[in-house]
């Protein structure tokens, strides 16, 4: 890695194979990157060269992208019904297999889906669209497919054979990895894959979404796409979150589709800040204290966060919001491998359904310190299926371990926004936008909200972070299940 603003050559020579990830040449004005293997193969990711700074700007030339020609068809009632049945059946079966249970999905016709969207718009003023995305097959027999439902127009189907499954998978992987790595480099190396994915997944339906006609996008994604940080997709000028609030759902039939307000809801917040074998989360005490001051409820920390206390607290009080500030991991393998870390135990994803969160119902579950294994289809199934596993209406979790200060900033802002937002996805969007705009800053040991002039004292371990506007800090948080 050459220092920013310098010129020079980077040469790697080896007697055997050379394997690298993406090579990022930050701020190099000139110079060469040479890979030379005497014996063996050379395998690299993409080689990027960028100027300093990570903020997208108007003078940043947009790279040449693989733009696609999609075939476009308005679906008749029969064709739309057949498409929904096929999609919902495939999605439901995939999650049934993962959780090793026969998930019972409601069967919604296209007309009933439109009725759901219309009812939500009438109740909240939020106009939503449902976007099914099917990835191209490994064999190349089927291409990338998008099916769009809105409340007022007939469904449309868009298809292209111009993108292959390996190309899509590599772009998704590069997008996630550069989002995480670029925050350390202070760069925008995530932009090329962010813009490529935007051109593949969003640009083809922009004409139907219209300028200001849709407020919320609810995605049902195919395998390999469920862990995409949609908020950071980029059109060359704006992030997707600057246009829409976002949500994902395993299948529409597996979600409670009615609107439920959180007004007067009580919160149960539990967290762990110290671990024997995992990294500490020093901001968790401040997180629990702040959010329980924003919402009526109770907070429990460290040794009070046990499985039995979690169960008994909800037996005593039907808390509708459950906030768990602790490590959680969605891992490769079965649902048995993924877990939420308690003080003295690990709550397996396969065990969550036994905690009684369906009765009385938990309307919102928030996991504020998650990690989802990159490149694992099983891990993304666990993340995308969180609302199914827990039986809650809506869940919020992170795709990667976000900086502790960034998590505190987003969570405190999210709950503040949730007090006035009509729908949950808009509250998350506003919290993410506040970070993107630089409203949340760390100064002199305080987390400051520049919009409200409020501040939260921080542990000394977090004082080194200052700028929380990079998408690493906010784009990994996603809403799963009912976004309204």
């Amino acid at each position: 890695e050459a220092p920013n603003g310098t010129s020079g050559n980077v040469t790697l020579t080896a007697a055997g194979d050379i394997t690298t990830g993406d090579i990022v040449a930050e701020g190099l004005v000139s110079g060469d990157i040479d890979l030379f293997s005497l014996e063996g193969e050379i395998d690299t990711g993409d080689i990027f060269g960028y100027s300093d700074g990570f903020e997208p700007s108007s003078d940043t030339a947009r790279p040449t992208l693989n733009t696609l020609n999609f075939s476009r068809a308005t679906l008749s009632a029969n064709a739309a019904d057949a498409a929904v049945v096929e999609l919902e059946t495939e999605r439901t079966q995939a999650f049934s297999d993962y959780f090793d249970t026969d998930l019972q999905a409601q069967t919604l016709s296209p007309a009933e889906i439109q009725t759901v969207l219309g009812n939500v718009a009438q109740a909240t003023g939020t106009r939503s669209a449902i976007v099914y995305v099917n990835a191209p097959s490994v064999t190349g027999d089927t291409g990338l497919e998008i099916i769009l439902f809105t409340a007022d127009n007939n469904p449309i189907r868009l298809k292209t054979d111009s993108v292959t499954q390996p190309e899509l998978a590599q772009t998704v992987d590069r997008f996630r990895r550069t989002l995480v790595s670029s925050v350390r480099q202070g760069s925008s190396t995530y932009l090329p894959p962010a813009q490529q994915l935007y051109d593949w997944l969003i640009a083809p339906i922009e004409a139907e979404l219209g300028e200001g006609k849709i407020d919320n996008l609810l995605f049902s994604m195919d395998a390999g796409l469920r862990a995409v940080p949609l908020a950071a997709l980029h059109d060359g000028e704006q992030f997707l979150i600057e246009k829409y609030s976002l949500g994902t759902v395993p299948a529409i039939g597996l979600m409670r589709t009615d609107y439920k307000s959180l007004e007067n809801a009580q919160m149960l917040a539990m967290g762990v800040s110290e671990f024997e074998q995992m990294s500490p989360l020093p901001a968790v005490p401040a997180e629990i204290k702040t959010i329980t001051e924003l919402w009526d409820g109770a907070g429990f920390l460290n040794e009070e966060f046990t499985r039995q206390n979690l169960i008994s607290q909800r037996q005593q009080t039907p808390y509708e919001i459950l906030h768990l500030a602790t490590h959680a991991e969605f891992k490769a393998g079965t649902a048995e491998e993924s877990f939420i870390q308690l003080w003295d135990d690990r709550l397996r994803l396969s065990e969550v359904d036994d905690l009684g969160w369906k009765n009385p119902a938990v309307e919102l579950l928030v996991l504020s310190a998650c990690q989802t294994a990159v490149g694992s289809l099983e891990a993304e199934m666990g993340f995308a299926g969180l609302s199914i596993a827990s039986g809650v209406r809506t869940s919020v979790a992170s795709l990667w371990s976000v900086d502790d200060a960034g998590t505190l900033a987003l969570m405190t802002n999210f709950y503040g926004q949730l007090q006035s937002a009509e729908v949950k996805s808009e509250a998350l969007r506003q919290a993410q936008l506040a970070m993107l705009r630089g409203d949340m800053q760390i100064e002199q040991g305080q987390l400051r909200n520049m919009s409200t002039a409020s501040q939260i004292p921080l542990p000394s371990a977090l004082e080194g972070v200052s700028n929380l506007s990079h998408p690493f800090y906010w784009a990994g948080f996603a809403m799963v299940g009912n976004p309204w």
Side-chain angles (χ1 to χ4, degrees):
E1 181 178 343
N4 283 355
T6 64
S7 302
N9 301 324
V10 178
T11 302
L12 299 178
T13 304
D17 294 349
I18 294 178
T19 302
T20 78
D22 293 345
I23 297 176
V24 182
E26 288 294 336
L28 294 181
V29 178
S30 63
D32 301 317
I33 299 175
D34 297 324
L35 304 179
F36 180 66
S37 179
L38 299 177
E39 294 180 6
E41 298 180 349
I42 298 175
D43 181 20
T44 78
D46 284 351
I47 298 177
F48 297 114
Y50 291 93
S51 59
D52 295 344
F54 62 79
E55 291 295 338
S57 61
S58 58
D59 59 355
T60 300
R62 183 170 182 178
T64 302
L65 301 177
N66 177 12
T67 54
L68 308 174
N69 293 318
F70 280 79
S71 64
R72 181 184 304 262
T74 300
L75 298 181
S76 65
N78 288 339
D81 189 60
V84 168
V85 169
E86 181 179 4
L87 286 165
E88 290 284 303
T89 300
E90 289 177 354
R91 301 281 203 268
T92 302
Q93 188 59 53
F95 283 91
S96 293
D97 292 343
Y98 176 75
F99 288 107
D100 194 25
T101 186
D102 184 16
L103 296 174
Q104 300 298 313
Q106 59 179 324
T107 302
L108 295 176
S109 68
E112 289 171 324
I113 291 176
Q114 289 185 306
T115 298
V116 167
L117 297 177
N119 290 342
V120 170
Q122 185 173 7
T124 68
T126 299
R127 298 157 298 180
S128 298
I130 294 174
V131 186
Y132 289 96
V133 180
N134 287 331
S137 64
V138 176
T139 60
D141 296 337
T142 58
L144 179 63
E145 179 184 55
I146 303 171
I147 299 180
L148 175 69
F149 286 86
T150 58
D152 301 323
N153 299 312
N154 291 331
I156 65 163
R157 172 189 276 139
L158 302 100
K159 289 183 175 181
T160 183
D161 295 324
S162 300
V163 59
T164 66
Q165 189 276 337
E167 186 178 15
L168 181 60
Q170 290 165 11
T171 305
V172 169
D173 181 71
R174 190 181 310 128
F175 180 36
R176 282 205 46 182
R177 291 185 186 278
T178 53
L179 262 176
V180 174
S181 64
S182 60
V183 70
R184 295 189 297 270
Q185 301 155 353
S187 72
S188 56
T189 54
Y190 59 84
L191 277 177
Q195 292 169 347
Q196 181 65 89
L197 288 170
Y198 186 99
D199 280 2
W200 287 344
L201 304 178
I202 307 300
I205 58 175
E206 282 188 313
E208 282 72 24
L209 299 178
E211 184 69 29
K213 288 166 55 178
I214 296 296
D215 307 300
N216 169 260
L217 298 180
L218 178 58
F219 289 87
S220 175
M221 291 293 202
D222 202 353
L225 295 171
R226 297 182 180 117
V228 174
L230 295 167
L233 297 185
H234 202 271
D235 68 0
E237 296 181 359
Q238 290 182 300
F239 290 103
L240 186 61
I241 199 66
E242 296 182 79
K243 299 180 179 182
Y244 310 100
S245 66
L246 304 170
T248 64
V249 65
I252 303 302
L254 292 173
M255 148 182 125
R256 279 186 273 168
T257 56
D258 58 311
Y259 170 69
K260 177 75 161 57
S261 171
L262 287 177
E263 187 177 5
N264 301 321
Q266 291 182 294
M267 171 192 289
L268 174 61
M270 292 185 163
V272 183
S273 61
E274 304 168 359
F275 304 84
E276 288 187 2
Q277 298 180 336
M278 306 179 81
S279 59
L281 297 172
V284 163
E287 183 178 328
I288 298 295
K289 179 179 183 295
T290 304
I291 64 176
T292 51
E293 289 174 352
L294 287 168
W295 282 81
D296 181 28
F300 298 88
L301 189 64
N302 290 332
E303 63 272 8
E304 298 176 323
F305 184 14
T306 64
R307 186 187 302 242
Q308 184 53 48
N309 197 28
L310 178 59
I311 294 172
S312 63
Q313 290 298 325
R314 290 208 71 248
Q315 288 175 338
Q316 296 172 33
T317 305
Y319 295 104
E320 292 182 282
I321 301 174
L322 182 56
H323 182 98
L324 304 182
T326 181
H327 286 293
E329 293 189 13
F330 298 100
K331 306 177 72 173
T334 66
E336 185 73 17
E337 305 299 323
S338 299
F339 65 88
I340 301 169
Q341 182 66 49
L342 311 180
W343 172 249
D344 57 353
D345 191 12
R346 285 185 172 181
L347 177 62
R348 305 288 174 182
L349 193 59
S350 57
E351 301 172 330
V352 174
D353 193 42
D354 300 330
L355 299 184
W357 291 353
K358 297 177 184 176
N359 185 26
V362 173
E363 299 296 334
L364 174 63
L365 168 67
V366 177
L367 300 180
S368 67
C370 298
Q371 173 75 24
T372 305
V374 176
S376 168
L377 296 182
E378 295 93 351
E380 70 169 32
M381 289 284 284
F383 180 87
L386 180 58
S387 57
I388 296 174
S390 59
V392 306
R393 181 185 299 271
T394 309
S395 57
V396 174
S398 59
L399 290 164
W400 53 78
S401 294
V402 178
D403 173 271
D404 215 22
T407 299
L408 176 62
L410 187 132
M411 287 299 159
T412 54
N413 208 312
F414 170 61
Y415 285 111
Q417 296 289 341
L418 199 59
Q419 294 177 324
S420 58
E422 287 292 340
V423 296
K424 296 182 285 291
S425 59
E426 182 61 22
L428 180 58
R429 173 178 180 260
Q430 290 301 326
Q432 291 172 312
L433 290 178
M435 296 181 72
L436 171 61
R437 291 191 299 256
D439 289 348
M440 306 299 293
Q441 296 184 12
I442 296 176
E443 296 178 352
Q444 300 177 340
Q446 305 279 332
L447 173 63
R448 301 181 186 274
N449 187 324
M450 310 307 286
S451 297
T452 63
S454 60
Q455 57 189 35
I456 301 171
L458 292 176
S460 58
L462 301 180
E463 293 179 5
V465 181
S466 57
N467 191 339
L468 300 174
S469 62
H470 190 283
F472 165 79
Y473 294 107
W474 50 263
F477 291 97
M479 187 164 286
V480 182
N482 187 315
W484 312 303

